[in-house]
Structure formats: C-alpha cells, structure tokens
Amino acid sequence: MNVVVLGAGAWGTALAISAAAHGDARHRITLWARDAQQADLLRLQRENRRYLPGLALPPGLQIASGALHGASALLDSADLLVVATPMAGLRDMLQVLAAQRATLAWLCKGFETARPGAPDVGLLGHEVLAQVAPHLQAGALSGPSFAQEVAQGQPTALVAASEHACVRELLVAAFHGPTLRVYANDDMVGVEVGGAVKNVLAIATGLCDGLHLGLNARAALITRGLAEMTRLGLALGARAETFMGLSGLGDLVLTATGDLSRNRTVGLLLAQGLSLPQAVASLGHVAEGVTSARTVVLRAQQLGVDMPISQAVLALLEGRLRPAEALATLMERDPKEETL
C-alpha cells in the first residue's frame, strides 16, 4: 500500500514515523511537507527538529514537497491520502484533492471556523467534506494520542471512523501495528464531536488545575464535560456509546489531564494571569479548543443543548469572565438531577 501523509507538523510526522517504523513492511509511507525548505531539512537531518526534536525518521520513510497541484505523480500513485493539517486547512486541502481516486482521511479535530458570509456557524470535518467533495470515500483517524508518544513507539489506541467499511479497513491496514492499535467505528458524527468538544473541556480542566481547585473539581469537570459532549453528539445524530469509547471518554481524559495537552496548557496559563494572546503565543502550536469554543456553544444553542462548561470557557476566552469567575458560574448553578 502507498500511503501519503500530507502535512509535516507534529501529528502528521508522528503517524508517518509509526507507520514506517512499525507497520507492514509492504507499505510505502511518504511524508509531504508544504515548505520545500522544511522537506530538505527532514531529508538531511532525518528528524523533525521543529515539532519532534530528537526522534529519528525511519530509513524507509520517504519525504516529498512542493505544490500538490503539480505533484500528480505523488497523489495519483497513492492508495491512501491522510490530511494532517489543522482544521482551518482542511477545506482547502479537500478542494485540492477532490479529483483524486485514492481513499482519504484526516487527522484534525475540531470545528471549522465560520467563514465570512457563510450561512453555517462552523462545521465538523465530515460536514466540510459533504460541501466540498461529497463523492470521495473518506474518514477520520481520531482518539487519545499525543504525537510525541506515538513517534516514540509508546502504546496507543486510535479509532478509524467512516461510514464506508472500505475506508475503515484501509486505515486499519495502514496504521495498525505493534505499538498502534486501530479500532473501526462507523459513527463518524460521534467520533468527530468527541474530538472537537474535548479540546474545549480541556481548557476548563487546565483552568481548574491552574487555580489549584483540587482533584475532586477536576473529576467533576471531566464527568460533566462528558455529559455535555454526549448531549451535543446525540442532537447531531451520534450514538451514545461512542462517547464511552476512545474518541469520547478516552480522548477527553488524555487531553484534560495530560501534561502534553496544548488545550489544557491554555487553561493553566490563563489561570496564571496570562492573556489569551500571550497563552496561545507561548505554545508554538495550534490549540483547537480556542477556535472551536465559539462554534461548540453556537451549535449547541441552535439545537437547544445545554453546555454550561463550554459556555463558561467561551466567556473566559472572550474576556467576559475572569478565571475565578468562570468556575464560580458553574458551582453557583441551581441543583439538578444527574442526567445527560
């Protein structure tokens, strides 16, 4: 199988390293970098020093670069194309790849930021696909996964989500290996909602930890956050059981508690008194929860779904609440039954 990973950031590089180092030897794995200079450095140094310093690229991992419009040989020879851009770049990439025959998948999690003049308030990946290239057979690879640990070969489990069985099977065949276990799931909506909302909730738990509110408070936020995530997912047509799996509870726990979590780090930094621009600038990477929070809240409001934690995070990010006030608004809510 010829697999091309499009995007040489941390996650794209990590997945390519894992597939080339531990996957089926019959697979050919190519990592494409948009920037030719970055690609030259990857070939020369055999590591991605910007995003994953100190982790060697396997000898069998091929490096490519250049404009995709002029790289027909690279694209046309692929059996599987994996888009490893932030959510903001997915639409443009899908437009470029719309004429390809290869199976397609993406790694990004979150909601697309609403475009000026567009009637929608921000879409999930499969909704973007339906607008741009509905004829493509595609899916998403999601689940609890820090890029650094995947590249290091530490045990990880992911979910290959698609409504097409052939897409799920191809993703499993491409990436399932000794250190990376890939499960198949046909609930595309549920998997993508989990991957998007957990980033917003991780900001809340980072804020909680940064304010030293204790482990009880963190557990409450994660548990009630899972309920919020599930409510939104059900309203969008997902299955409840998906949120008890890797792309729901699993990814939420990892992102909300792991020290490598960018979204949790945003919450920690805000609790320390940094402004949002300062917190984001200090990361050096994209924190999707910052851009997804507004869309999560707007879509929930459109559907009549109550998401108080997400609403508090949005108010914090927009400067309408200070860190301590954001948590206070949650604790001061009226008592209610514990339900979804």
Side-chain angles (χ1 to χ4, degrees), residues 265-291:
T265 299
V266 169
L268 288 169
L269 295 175
L270 292 175
Q272 294 171 13
L274 271 69
S275 67
L276 180 59
Q278 289 172 330
V280 172
S282 71
L283 293 177
H285 296 263
V286 175
E288 292 283 5
V290 173
T291 54

Side-chain angles (χ1 to χ4, degrees), residues 148-280:
Q148 181 176 322
E149 293 190 359
V150 171
Q152 289 171 334
Q154 294 183 275
T156 302
L158 298 176
V159 176
S162 176
E163 63 181 23
H164 305 287
C166 60
V167 175
R168 301 193 298 270
E169 292 166 1
L170 198 63
L171 285 169
V172 172
F175 298 113
H176 191 94
T179 64
L180 192 62
R181 185 171 182 83
V182 184
Y183 292 83
N185 192 323
D186 64 356
D187 184 8
M188 188 73 171
V189 177
V191 168
E192 288 216 292
V193 169
V197 178
K198 59 95 180 181
N199 288 324
V200 180
L201 300 174
I203 295 175
T205 53
L207 182 69
C208 173
D209 290 345
L211 293 173
H212 307 290
L213 299 183
L215 299 179
N216 293 347
R218 180 203 283 180
L221 279 172
I222 291 174
T223 305
R224 295 313 300 166
L226 179 63
E228 286 193 12
M229 176 192 296
T230 304
R231 286 197 296 269
L232 180 60
L234 293 177
L236 289 169
R239 297 195 302 266
E241 60 265 27
T242 300
F243 299 99
M244 297 305 297
L246 290 166
S247 61
L249 178 60
D251 211 354
L252 174 58
V253 169
L254 180 74
T255 312
T257 65
D259 290 337
L260 295 175
S261 168
R262 297 190 295 272
N263 292 284
R264 178 175 182 270
T265 299
V266 169
L268 288 169
L269 295 175
L270 292 175
Q272 294 171 13
L274 271 69
S275 67
L276 180 59
Q278 289 172 330
V280 172

Side-chain angles (χ1 to χ4, degrees), residues 69-84:
H69 293 289
S72 59
L74 174 67
L75 299 180
D76 291 345
S77 65
D79 300 298
L80 174 63
L81 295 169
V82 180
V83 178

Side-chain angles (χ1 to χ4, degrees), residues 97-182:
L97 302 175
Q100 296 302 311
R101 298 179 180 178
T103 297
L104 180 72
W106 53 85
L107 306 180
C108 44
K109 304 172 184 177
F111 284 91
E112 179 188 53
T113 302
R115 294 165 294 129
D120 52 76
V121 296
L123 305 177
L124 292 164
H126 71 276
E127 295 172 320
V128 177
L129 178 76
Q131 287 188 351
V132 175
H135 57 283
L136 289 180
Q137 291 192 329
L141 194 62
S142 191
S145 49
F146 288 140
Q148 181 176 322
E149 293 190 359
V150 171
Q152 289 171 334
Q154 294 183 275
T156 302
L158 298 176
V159 176
S162 176
E163 63 181 23
H164 305 287
C166 60
V167 175
R168 301 193 298 270
E169 292 166 1
L170 198 63
L171 285 169
V172 172
F175 298 113
H176 191 94
T179 64
L180 192 62
R181 185 171 182 83
V182 184

Side-chain angles (χ1 to χ4, degrees), residues 277-310:
Q278 289 172 330
V280 172
S282 71
L283 293 177
H285 296 263
V286 175
E288 292 283 5
V290 173
T291 54
S292 291
R294 180 171 176 78
T295 300
V296 168
V297 171
L298 287 176
R299 295 206 68 169
Q301 290 174 342
Q302 287 180 340
L303 296 166
V305 175
D306 186 29
M307 300 188 72
I309 299 174
S310 300

